[in-house]
Amino acid sequence: MSRLVIVANRVPDPRERGASAGGLAVALKDALARRDSLWFGWSGGTAPETGTEPRLLRKGRTTYATLDLGEEDYRHYYQGFSNAALWPVLHYRLGIARFSREDWLGYRRVNAAFAASLAPMLRDDDTIWVHDFHLFLMAAELRALGCRQKIGFFLHVPFPPRQVFMGLPNAEPVLLAMAALDTIGVQTADDAENLRGALQAVGKPEAAERVGVFPVGIDSGGFANLAARRFRTREVEMLRASLVNRALAIGVDRLDYTKGLPQRIAGFGKLLERFPQHLSKITFLQVAPVSRGDVATYRALRRELDEAVGRINGQYAEPDWAPIRYITRAVARPTLAGYMRLARIGLVTPLRDGMNLVAKEYVAAQDPEDPGVLVLSHFAGASSELEGALLVNPLDPDDIAEALDVALTMPADERLARWKTMDAAVRTTTAAAWARSFLTALEGEAAAASPSKAESRRATGRRGTSRRAA
């Protein structure tokens, strides 16, 4: 089997394992274990200039190759075009996106620099898998250097309707660059329809035919076992004791304006206002680690949440009860797994999300004898798979409040029936099945050969057409 080359904005620290690893590392664990691989990308560090010679570290069958970003490139490529322009546009937030010609030039410069550094390391029979919006131009840059290997691309975030995306300055060159790809993967059918429409609009119908749906999953069995093990640890016992037999609702999100956190807090406040029978009977724990704290938009969001939580706690708290517990520091994933198993309600209400694996983790974490209820945004990609969830409009605090009331009063037999439907979906569309289904579309059936073929066959989503077969 040929070597697999993963290209991503960030390369994981190979010393991090299991529960400490990042989301992409967990999702690709199965694919990397099956073959020799190279993982190429940014180290996470900065230097006066962007590096040209990658630092190499071998662990197991994977070589990690990293470059530092130049300080100017960090500002324009990462903070600028990737996070201030692409991120909001891809999440349907054109109105808050910030555009500058310098940021676009920095984005092009880093994609070209990454390609120039990677190209000499490639073998003729490598398979290249590029990940996410930071590297939309990567395949075209590699082709310009004469690379003819199979190149696939997966977009982990949503893709908006064509009219929204075309509001992005330089949208057309981004789309034209994607024509260099052999297989293009997205999370949902809506994302695929939107991206195909955009590619067709710029005269690339053949590239549109190579777009396929590959919903990302989790290691459901592993997370279920982790939650069961952590349920009796000291951290979870302390939380359980502090609740004093009250129900727990939990939200776990990076502090980001796409996650619908102000509306979620308002929805919980509406629950207490409109359904006073739940006063002093439920506690909401929101874990929201601060991200991009140096960006004004994120600082303003944190202030808004601080004020909203304080207002609701000030209005409804009792001497022995605070309605909302709010944590802005990271909590270890194993501990969160135990918290999720304890929670009667999982509250996952992003304004827009590619998939949202927290929703799937909440389902996997539940006690099969006494599961909780998932309250989920219509606009999370996971909503199309998790049919047993209570779906809400995340922009409507009253809708959230009503769903919370239903969840708190739901009979045990209905909770169990809903959970079984969702658990079956989470166990079918796993991270391993996602990786194998994408690589099968990119490389052909040989990529799926493994002892776990049955799981691969169960993977959902239409496969994209190979560029070479098109």
Side-chain angles (χ1 to χ4, degrees):
M1 188 178 293
S2 64
R3 186 177 64 163
L4 177 62
V5 178
I6 302 295
V7 186
N9 175 60
R10 285 293 301 274
V11 175
D13 186 337
R15 296 168 296 183
E16 293 183 344
R17 300 181 58 190
S20 299
L24 184 57
V26 172
L28 291 172
K29 177 182 176 182
D30 182 77
L32 295 174
R34 294 170 184 271
R35 59 205 291 184
D36 289 338
S37 57
L38 170 69
W39 195 320
F40 176 93
W42 178 33
S43 66
T46 58
E49 301 290 337
T50 295
T52 57
E53 294 294 329
R55 293 189 295 273
L56 304 181
L57 176 62
R58 180 81 176 178
K59 185 168 184 180
R61 301 185 69 176
T62 302
T63 298
Y64 297 86
T66 59
L67 295 173
D68 291 337
L69 277 181
E71 294 170 359
E72 183 177 355
D73 286 339
Y74 173 78
R75 287 194 303 274
H76 293 302
Y77 153 78
Y78 183 70
Q79 290 183 313
F81 197 77
S82 292
N83 286 319
L86 280 172
W87 176 264
V89 170
L90 291 168
H91 287 85
Y92 295 52
R93 302 292 299 275
L94 187 60
I96 66 171
R98 189 191 77 229
F99 311 110
S100 83
R101 184 63 57 84
E102 290 80 8
D103 290 347
W104 166 243
L105 294 176
Y107 184 81
R108 289 178 53 190
R109 185 167 58 246
V110 170
N111 273 256
F114 276 22
S117 294
L118 175 62
M121 304 174 66
L122 294 176
R123 304 169 184 168
D124 289 344
D125 63 344
D126 280 343
T127 295
I128 304 168
W129 190 0
V130 182
H131 288 266
D132 231 355
F133 59 96
H134 310 83
L135 299 171
F136 273 131
L137 310 182
M138 185 73 181
E141 294 290 350
L142 287 171
R143 298 293 188 214
L145 295 172
C147 299
R148 295 293 174 259
Q149 293 85 350
K150 291 182 179 180
I151 307 177
F153 176 87
F154 188 81
L155 182 65
H156 291 262
V157 301
F159 195 91
R162 175 179 60 84
Q163 295 89 340
V164 175
F165 190 74
M166 296 309 291
L168 172 77
N170 309 112
E172 185 168 344
V174 168
L175 293 166
L176 293 175
M178 296 183 75
L181 292 157
D182 296 297
T183 300
I184 305 168
V186 293
Q187 300 271 24
T188 70
D190 284 346
D191 296 330
E193 181 180 356
N194 292 339
L195 179 52
R196 290 180 188 127
L199 289 167
Q200 289 165 352
V202 297
K204 294 296 179 180
E206 72 287 351
E209 293 177 2
R210 298 195 288 272
V211 176
V213 180
F214 305 87
V216 172
I218 64 171
D219 174 7
S220 57
F223 198 82
N225 291 335
L226 178 64
R229 291 196 309 270
R230 302 297 297 190
F231 189 59
R232 297 299 178 187
T233 58
R234 179 175 175 271
E235 297 93 336
V236 178
E237 290 288 358
M238 289 174 62
L239 176 58
R240 181 189 293 107
S242 73
L243 294 171
V244 195
N245 296 318
R246 296 183 177 96
L248 175 68
I250 190 169
V252 179
D253 307 84
R254 185 168 54 83
L255 189 69
D256 190 276
Y257 54 79
T258 66
K259 301 302 182 182
L261 294 173
Q263 295 85 353
R264 186 183 309 172
I265 296 297
F268 188 78
K270 282 287 185 180
L271 171 76
L272 304 179
E273 174 189 334
R274 293 184 50 198
F275 303 94
Q277 64 269 32
H278 300 306
L279 287 170
S280 196
K281 293 182 180 178
I282 180 172
T283 296
F284 175 36
L285 170 62
Q286 176 63 58
V287 180
V290 173
S291 67
R292 303 170 188 164
D294 56 344
V295 178
T297 305
Y298 289 82
R299 293 198 301 270
L301 174 62
R302 184 173 183 180
R303 286 194 300 271
E304 181 182 2
L305 292 173
D306 289 347
E307 293 170 3
V309 170
R311 186 165 54 248
I312 292 171
N313 281 345
Q315 182 174 356
Y316 294 105
E318 299 291 345
D320 63 341
W321 172 64
I324 302 175
R325 302 181 187 183
Y326 173 51
I327 300 174
T328 57
R329 65 181 183 279
V331 176
R333 190 165 177 263
T335 301
L336 288 174
Y339 289 171
M340 288 181 184
R341 192 175 180 90
L342 178 63
R344 176 60 64 197
I345 299 171
L347 193 50
V348 183
T349 56
L351 303 182
R352 190 69 59 175
D353 223 334
M355 179 52 61
N356 196 293
L357 298 184
V358 170
K360 295 187 175 185
E361 290 176 340
Y362 177 77
V363 171
Q366 295 309 292
D367 180 350
E369 301 299 321
D370 186 26
V373 180
L374 177 63
V375 177
L376 180 63
S377 166
H378 279 288
F379 306 127
S383 65
S384 62
E385 296 181 54
L386 303 180
E387 296 179 359
L390 297 178
L391 297 182
V392 298
N393 183 335
L395 293 166
D396 184 355
D398 284 286
D399 197 20
I400 295 171
E402 290 162 6
L404 288 170
D405 174 59
V406 170
L408 286 166
T409 57
M410 186 179 292
D413 58 345
E414 183 179 352
R415 284 192 281 113
L416 184 60
R418 286 176 174 271
W419 174 79
K420 283 183 176 179
T421 299
M422 294 187 290
D423 185 60
V426 171
R427 289 182 179 275
T428 298
T429 311
T430 63
W434 162 73
R436 285 199 297 276
S437 64
F438 183 90
L439 290 172
T440 297
L442 179 59
E443 299 181 294
E445 290 298 328
S450 75
S452 304
K453 279 186 180 179
E455 186 178 16
S456 182
R457 286 195 297 267
R458 291 195 300 268
T460 61
R462 180 169 50 183
R463 292 174 177 170
T465 304
S466 167
R467 181 171 183 262
R468 284 170 171 75

